[in-house]
Amino acid sequence: MAYKKIFNPQSATSQKRLRNIRAATLRAEAKPQKLAAQGGDRRDGLVYVYTDEIVLAVNVALATGRPLLIRGPSGSGKSSLARNVALCLNWQYYEEVITSRTQARDLQWRFDTLRRLNDATINQLKDPAFYVEPGVLWWAFDPASAKRRGQSEMIARERALTEPGDGMGNSRAGVVVLLDEIDKADPDVPNNLLVALGSLQFTIDEINVEVKKTRPLLVIITSNDERMLPNAFLRRCVIMLLPPPDEERLVNIAKAHFGPRGMRLYRSIASRIIELTKAAGPTGQSTLSAAEYLDTVRACIELKVEPDSDESGWQAISTATLVKPREPLGI
Amino acid sequence: MTERKHDISLGDLVRAFGSLKPSDKASGRAIAQMLGFDLKEAEAVLPQAKDETVRKPSPPPSSRTREKEASELPVIKPEFVPVAASLEPAKEETFRPLVYISHRVREALSRVVLNAIQLRLFEDGFDVLLDNSRLQAGAVGFEQMKSWLELCHGVVIIFSESALNSPQVLSEVNDIMQRRASDKDLIVVPVLLPPVTRAVLEARGVPLPETNLLHAGAGETALSIAIKVSQALMPLLVSEEHWKPDTSPLPPLVVKDSNVPLPFEPLLVPNWTRAMMSAALSTSGGEGIPDIERIVESLARKEHLKRLPMRPFPTLSQGVQVLIDMSQSMIPYARDQAWLQTEVQKVVGYEKAQVLRFMGTPLRGSGVGERSSWTAYQPPAAGTPVLLLSDLGICQFTPSEDWTSASEWLSFAEVVNRAGCTLVAFVPYAPSRWPRNLARSMVLVQWDRPTTIATVRSLLRLGRER
């Protein structure tokens, strides 16, 4: 596709920046291990394989100022995309993993009622702003205001406010905010975020301070589609659906993570995963996620198992990483 | 503008195009689709994307064609939405008049003639409305027939011997002639098959048009009859301009056996269902805002607050157990059950909604899949709401395998309540028909349009107070 990209992960600048960060990360670690040996869910965003559609979605969201809602099954790379976008753009990065207890207001601010009540009982009541805790959206919209808790001067406190994020990126350039797994929250939460995400401003009720966006912002929201989001919320987002990866994409992802030398292994595992998924059928549990595929590749590399020549080893690994029993064992 | 799946404004579209500057149609289309617009809508607002393969040679200067107009479209400002056509020339729709065939064919000859007419009309550019179910048994619904008769441009009436004995065909003939009286453009072609003659019809008092009467004589073949019928209807094709409606024509109809089903209307108001389920299935969990009343009370007693009392807020995090009654009396509500199950799963989450099926009452066994695999009913974890979709045995007429009594339902409610769960039953009958005494053990909600979100909330509140 031919258009002027605001975000281009293939640009020389982005590639150079990612290489530098990877090198710095390696040096920072005491053990001389490769990045690929890091297990678990990779959220550092250092490696991401883009498709044209993903790049377009990010560009459209940046161009329109709308949140980017990424839908897809678990393990499809929704969350790691946000981090990688921030790294490529050299923007700051904040994230908030949403749980069933998360309320919309928590993402904007929290008010420490208990501390205020305790201070009142010992006659040490302070300004209401003292008890305001900025949420991730406040930090994203206006970090300077968040640091001052919305006041004109800094308010002294036993604990100083620390800005979220890992300190990387240029604060003035912009910020990427990840609201992860919004479908976990109660159905009212997305609706209660409409004003903040739509108009990019909100008012702190307790201190009557308005917070507005002061720098370029990209809000990325992820959903596993476990719960249907309200239409009013969906209508205000740029929506991208991450489909399950095909064999080619899986191989490219493995190549990006582990290097080009294991192509035969990557293809072998990818084709077996595709077979397992087809065998599971539409009603069976799908095993086709990039995360599980990478776990399998990593296990085969570390344990030196070749699927084509070591069937028993492959069976053991695939049972653990792919074909996971989902029903109770009845013990 | 067609309805977009997203409510993103034209301003967003203009902003996107302005920032990203797509240089070919594919990129423009991709950007527009990402925002929920189709390309025609985008082209109506924005300058045409450059694409050498789409551009056509300049038309002769004497004619002002659409291509010329399209290439001169100015750059549109965001606030101006012109009433502009697509930049591509509109495709000419092929007009196919609708012809309804009224028939009742039991005889072999009649069937052959009917088939020949149907095929010939289709080949000659007509679309045929035909109730195939009459060839076996049963008939298209009355309303369906009425709408066909109102839509068609021409009518063929096959007067076979069996048609004369069909009250439906004769009723249709009356309707057709009534419409003919007010709509002179309707072409009616009666086809008389032996032994039916004009005299026979007149003796029966069957109204006939004065023209286009086709009498199948000796030596006639089904094909020749079909050709004559088609020729009689030819003026419909010629007078295309007269028939061209202001809006786009109906899509071509596919002749098939099944009737077009009516759209499904859920028992509950669809737009309210999500909120109703949230209200019905929420449990008090987590901590919301400080409970000021309790705080003041504690402070007034000079009690030291070790923990700030908070008001609980409703949450769906406990999930739900959905029990679907598969008894015979619930067969008419099968689609409603499936629909509501889907809505509940959307609200609560697929992983958190346990769906079980049963017959009679759940105490007789419940499960997923085949009945033979069902096991003894197990209530969910304490605090999890149980949603029952059942008529509670209200509409059982005769004793059957799944016959239930109110006392059995009471026993079931006790099992659920003892497990620490709230039982909410959506019942597709009016409260006057609900079994007595059940309301004390479960929250009963009328599963019908009058039920509102406020109704559900107040019923739940009453249920908790009991």
Side-chain angles (χ1 to χ4, degrees):
Chain A
M1 279 187 270
Y3 60 93
K4 184 186 162 200
K5 293 182 175 69
I6 303 170
F7 165 72
N8 185 2
Q10 299 305 320
S11 70
T13 314
S14 298
Q15 291 293 308
K16 186 180 173 185
R17 189 173 297 125
L18 287 173
R19 273 198 301 273
N20 290 343
I21 294 172
R22 283 193 208 116
T25 307
L26 276 175
R27 281 195 294 273
E29 290 185 359
K31 299 176 187 174
Q33 61 191 48
K34 291 181 185 174
L35 279 177
Q38 292 175 3
D41 288 340
R42 188 182 199 114
R43 294 176 76 91
D44 57 14
L46 290 176
V47 180
Y48 198 87
V49 177
Y50 286 89
T51 62
D52 288 343
E53 201 201 340
I54 296 173
V55 175
L56 175 67
V58 174
N59 276 289
V60 170
L62 285 169
T64 57
R66 294 282 184 179
L68 173 61
L69 174 64
I70 308 177
R71 295 167 50 203
S74 299
S76 53
K78 304 185 295 296
S79 309
S80 49
L81 167 66
R83 187 77 177 89
N84 191 270
V85 169
L87 289 174
C88 290
L89 292 171
N90 196 28
W91 285 12
Q92 275 195 305
Y93 172 74
Y94 302 150
E95 75 173 32
E96 180 92 15
V97 181
I98 293 177
T99 68
S100 58
R101 290 177 163 266
T102 303
Q103 296 298 301
R105 208 176 88 150
D106 297 341
L107 300 175
Q108 299 162 72
W109 80 92
R110 289 182 180 85
F111 191 75
D112 198 342
T113 320
L114 182 57
R115 180 181 286 269
R116 187 161 188 256
L117 181 64
N118 282 338
D119 287 352
T121 56
I122 57 174
N123 284 329
Q124 289 187 7
L125 191 62
K126 299 176 184 61
D127 189 278
F130 191 85
Y131 306 101
V132 170
E133 295 276 352
V136 69
L137 287 180
W138 190 351
W139 282 107
F141 286 8
D142 191 346
S145 163
K147 208 155 195 174
R148 295 190 313 265
R149 302 175 198 268
Q151 304 305 294
S152 54
E153 296 168 0
M154 293 283 288
I155 293 178
R157 196 182 158 137
E158 300 105 84
R159 288 181 290 127
L161 275 177
T162 49
E163 191 171 347
D166 52 12
M168 294 178 77
N170 182 351
S171 167
R172 275 187 229 132
V175 64
V176 174
V177 179
L178 171 66
L179 302 180
D180 207 7
E181 299 187 350
I182 198 165
D183 54 317
K184 293 272 190 311
D186 272 342
D188 287 336
V189 170
N191 278 335
N192 293 339
L193 286 173
L194 286 177
V195 171
L197 293 181
S199 58
L200 299 175
Q201 63 182 40
F202 55 89
T203 301
I204 317 290
D205 295 334
E206 284 84 354
I207 56 177
N208 199 26
V209 164
E210 197 175 52
V211 175
K212 290 184 184 177
K213 181 178 86 90
T214 59
R215 53 177 174 169
L217 166 72
L218 173 64
V219 178
I220 295 181
I221 306 170
T222 68
S223 168
N224 292 331
D225 273 350
E226 287 179 10
R227 184 182 275 156
M228 190 164 155
L229 297 172
N231 283 335
F233 179 81
L234 293 175
R235 283 198 294 266
R236 284 161 174 79
C237 298
V238 174
I239 300 179
M240 180 179 66
L241 179 65
L242 276 184
D246 57 15
E247 185 174 326
E248 204 53 42
R249 180 158 171 78
L250 286 174
V251 170
N252 288 336
I253 290 172
K255 183 179 163 189
H257 278 77
F258 301 105
R261 285 209 273 177
M263 293 297 287
R264 200 169 63 86
L265 175 69
Y266 309 153
R267 284 205 186 280
S268 170
I269 296 174
S271 64
R272 281 168 185 259
I273 281 188
I274 304 274
E275 279 170 23
L276 279 170
T277 307
K278 282 181 186 163
T283 56
Q285 295 287 345
S286 171
T287 59
L288 194 59
S289 85
E292 286 167 319
Y293 169 71
L294 287 174
D295 287 343
T296 309
V297 171
R298 189 175 294 121
C300 287
I301 291 174
E302 293 293 318
L303 301 176
K304 296 180 173 41
V305 170
E306 279 280 346
D308 292 335
S309 57
D310 183 358
E311 190 60 31
S312 59
W314 163 252
Q315 286 295 331
I317 288 179
S318 62
T319 302
T321 59
L322 298 174
V323 187
K324 296 164 185 168
R326 314 244 179 192
E327 297 297 327
L329 296 175
I331 297 171
Chain B
M1 288 271 180
T2 57
E3 186 182 350
R4 294 187 292 277
K5 59 179 180 180
H6 305 152
D7 201 21
I8 289 180
S9 67
L10 286 168
D12 288 304
L13 181 65
V14 172
R15 251 193 306 279
F17 269 65
S19 293
L20 303 178
K21 295 181 177 44
S23 53
D24 61 31
K25 213 159 199 173
S27 303
R29 187 196 314 271
I31 292 170
Q33 283 176 347
M34 183 69 65
L35 291 171
F37 291 86
D38 61 39
L39 188 60
K40 278 197 166 73
E41 287 177 304
E43 286 174 343
V45 183
L46 297 158
Q48 182 179 10
K50 291 176 190 173
D51 186 347
E52 295 303 320
T53 61
V54 173
R55 283 194 180 277
K56 295 183 179 178
S58 306
S62 58
S63 64
R64 188 170 173 78
T65 62
R66 285 194 201 185
E67 287 91 347
K68 193 166 190 292
E69 287 174 341
S71 65
E72 290 175 351
L73 273 182
V75 174
I76 305 296
K77 293 181 183 174
E79 58 271 19
F80 174 59
V81 181
V83 184
S86 164
L87 296 179
E88 291 174 336
K91 292 178 188 171
E92 289 295 325
E93 298 275 354
T94 305
F95 174 67
R96 295 179 68 92
L98 293 171
V99 177
Y100 175 67
I101 302 181
S102 176
H103 69 97
R104 178 83 173 172
V105 291
R106 301 240 173 189
E107 309 83 2
L109 168 66
S110 309
R111 284 176 184 263
V112 170
V113 169
L114 172 63
N115 286 341
I117 292 173
Q118 183 182 337
L119 283 170
R120 184 73 195 190
L121 289 179
F122 196 75
E123 282 168 4
D124 286 349
F126 299 92
D127 276 330
V128 176
L129 294 165
L130 178 72
D131 172 22
N132 273 325
S133 61
R134 291 191 201 176
L135 297 175
Q136 297 98 31
V140 164
F142 180 68
E143 291 303 322
Q144 180 74 56
M145 197 58 56
K146 284 282 190 186
S147 64
W148 282 4
L149 288 174
E150 283 165 17
L151 285 173
C152 62
H153 305 107
V155 178
V156 176
I157 311 173
I158 299 181
F159 283 108
S160 59
E161 192 175 8
S162 51
L164 277 189
N165 297 322
S166 166
Q168 187 165 1
V169 172
L170 297 176
S171 169
E172 275 176 14
V173 171
N174 281 329
D175 291 336
I176 291 164
M177 297 312 292
Q178 276 181 10
R179 187 184 153 195
R180 179 79 169 72
S182 58
D183 182 2
K184 297 298 178 194
D185 292 325
L186 177 70
I187 297 179
V188 181
V189 183
V191 177
L192 279 56
L193 301 179
V196 179
T197 61
R198 189 183 186 120
V200 168
L201 290 174
E202 284 174 352
R204 294 265 192 125
V206 176
L208 286 174
E210 293 170 2
T211 56
N212 294 327
L213 191 69
L214 293 178
H215 194 168
E220 289 257 36
T221 63
L223 179 59
S224 63
I225 296 172
I227 290 173
K228 284 182 186 174
V229 167
S230 180
Q231 284 171 347
L233 292 167
M234 274 301 156
L236 292 176
L237 289 174
V238 171
S239 63
E240 174 186 326
E241 282 301 319
H242 170 73
W243 283 107
K244 191 174 275 185
D246 293 332
T247 55
S248 52
L250 291 171
L253 282 177
V254 176
V255 178
K256 55 183 178 180
D257 286 336
S258 59
N259 300 330
V260 177
L262 292 171
F264 170 64
E265 288 188 18
L267 288 172
L268 300 173
V269 176
N271 286 350
W272 299 347
T273 303
R274 185 185 170 91
M276 262 191 254
M277 289 301 110
S278 288
L281 305 175
S282 292
T283 54
S284 290
E287 296 181 339
I289 56 175
D291 190 336
I292 303 296
E293 286 179 9
R294 284 170 60 191
I295 293 172
V296 168
E297 201 174 324
S298 298
L299 290 176
R301 288 204 209 102
K302 291 191 178 178
E303 289 172 358
H304 177 61
L305 282 171
K306 292 178 189 172
R307 199 168 173 275
L308 192 68
M310 306 291 271
R311 285 176 132 176
F313 69 86
T315 177
L316 292 168
S317 58
Q318 289 279 80
V320 64
Q321 183 185 73
V322 183
L323 298 173
I324 297 182
D325 190 349
M326 307 291 286
S327 306
Q328 285 187 35
S329 55
M330 284 300 289
I331 289 177
Y333 302 103
R335 285 180 82 182
D336 300 281
Q337 288 173 321
W339 182 82
L340 196 56
Q341 174 196 331
T342 304
E343 293 300 305
V344 166
Q345 286 170 321
K346 284 180 191 173
V347 167
V348 174
Y350 292 90
E351 301 269 333
K352 290 194 173 174
Q354 180 196 23
V355 180
L356 299 173
R357 286 169 169 75
F358 68 92
M359 286 185 76
T361 73
L363 292 178
R364 300 182 192 178
S366 64
V368 298
E370 295 290 327
R371 192 176 177 186
S372 54
S373 65
W374 293 357
T375 55
Y377 171 73
Q378 293 291 333
T384 305
V386 176
L387 178 67
L388 177 64
L389 306 181
S390 169
D391 68 343
L392 303 177
I394 290 171
C395 196
Q396 352 178 71
F397 294 107
T398 54
S400 61
E401 184 190 12
D402 44 25
W403 179 272
T404 60
S405 62
S407 59
E408 199 173 347
W409 282 111
L410 270 174
S411 303
F412 167 67
E414 273 174 36
V415 167
V416 173
N417 292 331
R418 259 202 311 271
C421 303
T422 305
L423 178 57
V424 181
F426 274 68
V427 183
Y429 292 101
S432 57
R433 299 186 64 181
W434 295 348
R436 290 180 190 177
N437 300 331
L438 285 186
R440 281 189 229 139
S441 308
M442 59 178 84
V443 178
L444 293 167
V445 181
Q446 185 182 0
W447 192 359
D448 202 355
R449 288 289 164 120
T451 297
T452 65
I453 303 161
T455 313
V456 172
R457 285 197 183 124
S458 62
L459 286 169
L460 280 162
R461 200 165 41 244
L462 283 171
R464 285 189 199 113
E465 284 166 8
R466 265 186 241 117

